[in-house]
Amino acid sequence: MRTSGSTELDHTHDPSARSCVPGADGHPDFPIQNLPLGLFSPEGGTTRAGVAIGDQILDLAAAQAAGLVTGDAARAVTAAESGDLNGMLALGTGPRRALREQLFALLRADGPDRDRVPPLLHAAASCTLHLPARIGDYTDFFVGIDHATNTGRQFRPEQPLLPNYRHVPVGYHGRASSIRPSGVPVRRPHGQAKPPHLDAPVFGPSRRLDYELELGVWIGPGNALGTPVPIAEAAGQVAGFCLLNDWSARDIQGWEYQPLGPFLAKSFATTISPWIVTPEALAPFRIPQTARPSGDPDPLPYLLDEADQAGGALDLELDILLSTRAAREAGLPPHRVARSNARHMYWTVAQMIAHHTSGGCNLRPGDLLGTGTLSGPDPESCGSLLETTHGGKAPIRLASGEERRFLEDGDEVILTARGLREGFAPIGFGACRATVCPAPVYPAPAYPAP
Amino acid sequence: MRTSGSTELDHTHDPSARSCVPGADGHPDFPIQNLPLGLFSPEGGTTRAGVAIGDQILDLAAAQAAGLVTGDAARAVTAAESGDLNGMLALGTGPRRALREQLFALLRADGPDRDRVPPLLHAAASCTLHLPARIGDYTDFFVGIDHATNTGRQFRPEQPLLPNYRHVPVGYHGRASSIRPSGVPVRRPHGQAKPPHLDAPVFGPSRRLDYELELGVWIGPGNALGTPVPIAEAAGQVAGFCLLNDWSARDIQGWEYQPLGPFLAKSFATTISPWIVTPEALAPFRIPQTARPSGDPDPLPYLLDEADQAGGALDLELDILLSTRAAREAGLPPHRVARSNARHMYWTVAQMIAHHTSGGCNLRPGDLLGTGTLSGPDPESCGSLLETTHGGKAPIRLASGEERRFLEDGDEVILTARGLREGFAPIGFGACRATVCPAPVYPAPAYPAP
C-alpha cells in the first residue's frame, strides 16, 4: 500500500479561491488554501479543536453540530472530542483530506453555507492555543548537513562530519515533557559546564544559550512494535508539520554530550508553533530531494523510494527573527538574523520515519519528530547562533546597534515558515516565538560546598 | 522541606511478622514486608490496581469497597481508578506509606480483618500484569562506573572513561513507547551496522544482541517546568523501583551512536518487572554511598547532601539468568551468567533526580528513570554480554554445554533483585524476563538496490 499521496494537487490549492472570512484572502499564514488544525480555548471556554482561517479560528465541533461537517470529516472531528487531536491524527490521510475538502467548500466566498460560518468563528487574538496533541515521544533528527558540518567543527574540529552521516539518518530521543507552544517564556537553565581555562566544571546559569531552527513533524496512525514502516508507506504516517525551536545551552552541551548525546543542554525547553500544517496544504511546495550531492553514497534500499526522491523534499522559506528588549523599547521591529530553507534536509521525512521504525520501534499518534537544525550553506542561512557567530567568536550586529554572541535575557526568538511558489497562494505556519527569561534563583544546596 | 524519609524503619519491617495469606511467609519476592504496587487484570476482568502478597494479588479497589482501606490510603486507591497508577504515584510519600501500613495490618496473620481477605485475592498465575503507569518520558542514566569503563573500552580503547564521568551523572533520553512488562517477547531488530572488515554499512538483523541489567526508578509527584528539585528533596520524588532490561544491539550502536548517542540500538524494546517496589519496602537495604572511591572529585554542591551520602545507596543482589531453548528442552534450569549489586552505582538516585531537574526539566508522575547497567568490578558481575564476553571475543560456556557471545533467538533473559540483610525478611522484585524471537521478515524495499 503506497500512501505517499501528499504531493497531489486539487481544487483546494486553487490560488484564485476566495474566502467568506474577512481578512483571510492574502493572509500571510492562513488563507483558505492552508486550513491548519489546532487545539484552542476561547476566552472563558473549554479546550476544543479548531482550524485557522485568516485571523479567526473555526470551532470544528460547532461546525459539526450545525451539520456542516459530515461523513469521514465528521469522524475526524468526533475523534478530537477528548480534548486533544491524537485521535484525529490517528485516523490518517483519508478523514483529514475529507475534512479539508469540506472546510474549503464551507469557507469559500461563494459557498452555499457561507452565512452560517460567522457564528462558528472566534478571533484568534482572544483565544489561547495549546499543544495540539499529547506527545508520547519526541525524537530529534540531525538532517541538516550544513548544520551537522558547522557544529561538528565547533565540537570536533578534526572531524566535523562523522563517517556515518551520509548513511544513517542520525537522531536521538528528546524530552517530551518540556515541549511548550509558542508564547510560553523560556527560563535560562542552570547546568554544569567546563570552560577551557578551568580544570574542573562549574555550575551556574548557561552563558551560551542558543536557538535551533527546525521543522517538527506530527505522526499520524503509527505502527505496531516490531513492525517497521516501509519507506514507500512512510509518508502516510505524517499528519502534519510545525516549526520547532530546539533551545540549546552550548556550554552544558559541550561538557555533557559524550558519550550518550545531548541531555540537559536541550531538555529545559522546546517551543513549537501550535498549528498542524497538513501534508495536503504543503503539496504545492513539494520538490525533488536535491540536498544529497551527486557522488555521495546511495541510501541503503530500506531508505530509497522513487516517489520520495522525486517529491519528498519541501521548499519552505524559514526565517529567524530576534527581538531584544532594547529594540522593543525603541520601537524597532524584530531583526532577521537568518533565512534558510527546508530544502536543505539531507534526509526526507519519509526516510526519517522508515529509519526510526526499521528496528521495530513503534511510533504512536501524536508523536513528534524534529528535523534537526535546518541551516543552509551560506553564513546568512545558519539555523543557530553557534554557527552564525562561530561559537561566539564573531558576534552579530543587530539593527538596534547591539551585538549578540548568544542569547540574553529578554531576547525574543521568532521562527517563521512560508511556502512560496509561482502560481500558488503563499501559506505560512504562524509564529513559533518565545522570550528568554532569567534563570531561577537556584535552590540553596543543603550541603556546604567543600 | 526534606523528604528523604525512605530510610526509616518501622513495624512494617518486622521480620517476625506473619501473613494470613498462605504461602506469603518466606516467599522469595513478596512476603508481607514488601507489598509492591501494580496493575493487573484477573482472567476475564478489567484492569485494576493491586498489591502482590505471596503468589496472590490483592485487589485494592475491592479492599476499599469493603471498607478495609480508609483515609489517606483510600485516597491513594481512588487515585488509581483511572486504569493506571499515575495518579497514585503523584500523591507522593504520605498516602503511599498510609496504604502500606493499612495493608500490613490487614494482611497480618493475627489481623482483626484476616477473615475478610480471601475474597480480595486473585491467584497471580491466572492474572495478566500490565505496565503500572503511562510512562510520559523515560530517561536512562549511566551510573555503573564499571560498566562505563568496560564498555568505554570496547568503543574507545584509548579513553574508556571520559573526563566528565566523575562530575556529571551522565544520562540520555530513552524511548517510552517500546517499554513492555516482563513476559512480552522481544523481536531481534534490523538495523545498519558497519563491520570493521567492510567499507560501507550493511542492513540486516542485529548479530550482536545484548541485555543490560538495570534498576528502574518510578517518579512520584514530579516538578514544574523551570523549577529544579534540590538534592535534599529528591528522594521524595521516588515512588518506587523495578528491574529494567535495556536490550541493546551492539552492532547498530557502534555505528550509529556518534555524535548524538544511542538511538535505534536501544529503542526496539525495554523490558521492566511490573511491580513497583516502594522506597518503604527497601528501607532496610539502604547503605552509605561507597561506590565513589576516595580521591575522586567531590560532587558539585547541587549533587551533595549529607543524608543522601549516608543512606542513599542500595544493597540489592542482582542476578542475570539465561535460559536457552536447548537448555529448556533438556529440562535444565536457567543458568546464572552474572551476579551484581545495586551498591555499584557511582551516583545515587537522588543525585540522578537533582541533576535531571537542575536545568529546569520537569519530571511527571509515572516517568521512568533507568540507572544504566549495574556491573560490578569482577568478571562475574558484568551486567551485559558486551562486557562478559569482551565484545564477543571470549564466549561464555553455559551448563547446557552451549556457548554464547551474544544472544540467540529463543534465549530467555531473566533479571532478579533481592534485598538481603541480617535481621530482616528478604524481599524480591519478581522477575523481569523476556525471550528473544527472530527478526521479522523485512518489508521488501520498494526501490531496487543500485
Side-chain angles (χ1 to χ4, degrees), chain B residues 197-449:
Chain B
H197 64 284
L198 295 179
D199 290 337
V202 291
F203 182 80
S206 169
R207 292 164 178 255
R208 291 163 71 91
L209 185 61
D210 201 353
Y211 51 76
E212 288 194 343
L213 166 69
E214 305 194 13
L215 284 184
V217 179
W218 291 102
I219 295 297
N223 61 303
L225 183 63
T227 308
V229 176
I231 178 78
E233 296 174 21
Q237 289 289 345
V238 179
F241 295 82
C242 63
L243 283 158
L244 187 152
N245 186 343
D246 178 25
W247 303 91
S248 299
R250 302 301 181 190
D251 37 7
I252 300 172
Q253 186 176 359
W255 173 235
E256 77 168 0
Y257 92 107
Q258 286 278 25
L260 300 184
F263 179 42
L264 303 191
K266 306 273 193 174
S267 64
F268 59 96
T270 302
T271 304
I272 62 171
S273 58
W275 291 106
I276 300 179
V277 179
T278 66
E280 290 70 49
L282 292 177
F285 314 105
R286 288 283 174 187
I287 55 171
Q289 164 66 340
T290 57
R292 175 181 291 266
S294 65
D296 273 19
D298 278 322
L300 282 163
Y302 79 102
L303 297 173
L304 205 45
D305 175 71
E306 210 160 354
D308 185 49
Q309 291 295 303
L314 280 166
D315 182 8
L316 295 172
E317 184 181 88
L318 307 173
D319 283 357
I320 305 169
L321 306 162
L322 183 57
S323 171
T324 68
R325 188 183 289 140
R328 287 195 298 277
E329 286 170 358
L332 292 169
H335 179 106
R336 193 177 87 207
V337 290
R339 168 163 290 176
S340 185
N341 194 296
R343 60 167 69 228
H344 300 308
M345 290 169 60
Y346 191 82
W347 300 99
T348 66
V349 170
Q351 288 175 321
M352 288 158 54
I353 290 169
H355 181 65
H356 201 323
T357 62
S358 63
C361 180
N362 56 325
L363 304 176
R364 295 176 294 188
D367 281 356
L368 185 67
L369 313 182
T371 56
T373 308
L374 296 179
S375 299
D378 314 311
E380 298 74 28
S381 60
C382 289
S384 68
L385 282 172
L386 181 72
E387 297 164 82
T388 304
T389 69
H390 298 275
K393 289 196 275 291
I396 51 168
R397 179 168 286 275
L398 307 175
S400 60
E402 298 170 281
E403 286 190 342
R404 283 292 181 276
R405 296 167 195 273
F406 289 100
L407 295 171
E408 298 191 3
D409 293 346
D411 287 355
E412 183 179 37
V413 178
I414 307 161
L415 309 182
T416 66
R418 258 169 96 73
L420 298 167
R421 180 175 162 201
E422 185 74 30
F424 289 89
I427 67 168
F429 278 45
C432 173
R433 62 200 302 159
T435 303
V436 176
C437 65
V441 175
Y442 201 81
Y447 203 74

Side-chain angles (χ1 to χ4, degrees), chain A residues 118-133:
Chain A
L120 310 175
L121 300 176
H122 298 268
S126 68
C127 295
T128 304
L129 281 155
H130 308 284
L131 290 182

Side-chain angles (χ1 to χ4, degrees), chain A residues 346-441:
Chain A
Y346 191 81
W347 300 98
T348 66
V349 170
Q351 288 175 321
M352 289 159 53
I353 290 170
H355 181 65
H356 201 322
T357 62
S358 63
C361 181
N362 56 323
L363 304 177
R364 294 178 292 189
D367 281 355
L368 184 67
L369 313 182
T371 55
T373 308
L374 296 179
S375 299
D378 313 313
E380 297 73 28
S381 60
C382 289
S384 67
L385 282 172
L386 182 72
E387 297 164 81
T388 304
T389 69
H390 298 276
K393 289 195 276 289
I396 51 169
R397 178 167 287 275
L398 307 175
S400 59
E402 298 169 283
E403 287 190 342
R404 282 292 181 276
R405 297 167 193 272
F406 289 101
L407 295 172
E408 298 191 5
D409 294 345
D411 285 356
E412 183 178 40
V413 178
I414 306 160
L415 309 182
T416 66
R418 258 170 95 74
L420 299 167
R421 181 175 160 198
E422 184 75 28
F424 289 88
I427 67 169
F429 278 46
C432 173
R433 63 199 303 159
T435 303
V436 176
C437 63
V441 175

Side-chain angles (χ1 to χ4, degrees), chain A residues 65-444:
Chain A
L68 296 168
V69 174
T70 59
D72 251 11
R75 267 180 69 212
V77 175
T78 302
E81 277 173 3
S82 62
D84 56 55
L85 300 191
N86 295 70
M88 182 192 276
L89 304 187
L91 295 176
T93 306
R96 188 181 66 231
R97 193 183 291 255
L99 182 61
R100 174 181 175 84
E101 284 175 9
Q102 292 188 22
L103 293 175
F104 187 85
L106 175 65
L107 294 168
R108 286 189 75 124
D110 54 0
D113 292 313
R114 62 185 179 272
D115 294 341
R116 301 175 64 193
V117 167
L120 310 175
L121 300 176
H122 298 268
S126 68
C127 295
T128 304
L129 281 155
H130 308 284
L131 290 182
R134 279 174 295 107
I135 301 167
D137 278 289
Y138 158 49
T139 302
D140 202 17
F141 282 86
F142 195 51
V143 307
I145 190 169
D146 295 298
H147 170 73
T149 307
N150 294 340
T151 57
R153 198 171 287 132
Q154 312 281 340
F155 291 106
R156 295 173 308 277
E158 73 292 355
Q159 189 184 35
L161 202 62
L162 293 166
N164 59 6
Y165 190 87
R166 292 186 166 85
H167 300 278
V168 181
V170 170
Y172 68 104
H173 306 296
R175 180 80 192 176
S177 71
S178 53
I179 301 173
R180 290 292 178 275
S182 180
V184 176
V186 169
R187 275 192 155 185
R188 179 181 300 274
H190 282 75
Q192 270 195 49
K194 200 188 80 60
H197 64 282
L198 295 179
D199 289 336
V202 290
F203 182 80
S206 170
R207 291 163 179 257
R208 292 164 68 91
L209 185 61
D210 201 355
Y211 52 74
E212 288 195 343
L213 166 69
E214 306 194 12
L215 284 184
V217 179
W218 291 101
I219 294 297
N223 62 302
L225 184 62
T227 307
V229 176
I231 179 79
E233 296 174 21
Q237 289 289 344
V238 178
F241 296 81
C242 62
L243 282 158
L244 186 152
N245 185 344
D246 177 24
W247 301 90
S248 299
R250 301 302 180 189
D251 36 8
I252 299 172
Q253 185 176 359
W255 174 235
E256 75 167 2
Y257 93 107
Q258 286 279 24
L260 300 183
F263 179 41
L264 302 191
K266 306 272 192 174
S267 63
F268 60 96
T270 302
T271 304
I272 62 173
S273 58
W275 291 107
I276 300 179
V277 178
T278 65
E280 289 70 49
L282 292 177
F285 314 106
R286 289 283 174 186
I287 55 171
Q289 164 65 341
T290 56
R292 174 181 293 267
S294 66
D296 273 18
D298 277 322
L300 283 161
Y302 79 103
L303 296 173
L304 204 44
D305 175 70
E306 210 159 354
D308 184 50
Q309 291 296 304
L314 279 166
D315 182 7
L316 296 173
E317 184 181 87
L318 306 173
D319 282 358
I320 305 169
L321 307 162
L322 182 59
S323 171
T324 69
R325 188 182 290 141
R328 287 195 298 277
E329 286 169 3
L332 292 169
H335 179 104
R336 193 178 87 207
V337 290
R339 169 163 288 178
S340 185
N341 194 294
R343 61 166 68 227
H344 300 308
M345 291 170 60
Y346 191 81
W347 300 98
T348 66
V349 170
Q351 288 175 321
M352 289 159 53
I353 290 170
H355 181 65
H356 201 322
T357 62
S358 63
C361 181
N362 56 323
L363 304 177
R364 294 178 292 189
D367 281 355
L368 184 67
L369 313 182
T371 55
T373 308
L374 296 179
S375 299
D378 313 313
E380 297 73 28
S381 60
C382 289
S384 67
L385 282 172
L386 182 72
E387 297 164 81
T388 304
T389 69
H390 298 276
K393 289 195 276 289
I396 51 169
R397 178 167 287 275
L398 307 175
S400 59
E402 298 169 283
E403 287 190 342
R404 282 292 181 276
R405 297 167 193 272
F406 289 101
L407 295 172
E408 298 191 5
D409 294 345
D411 285 356
E412 183 178 40
V413 178
I414 306 160
L415 309 182
T416 66
R418 258 170 95 74
L420 299 167
R421 181 175 160 198
E422 184 75 28
F424 289 88
I427 67 169
F429 278 46
C432 173
R433 63 199 303 159
T435 303
V436 176
C437 63
V441 175
Y442 200 81

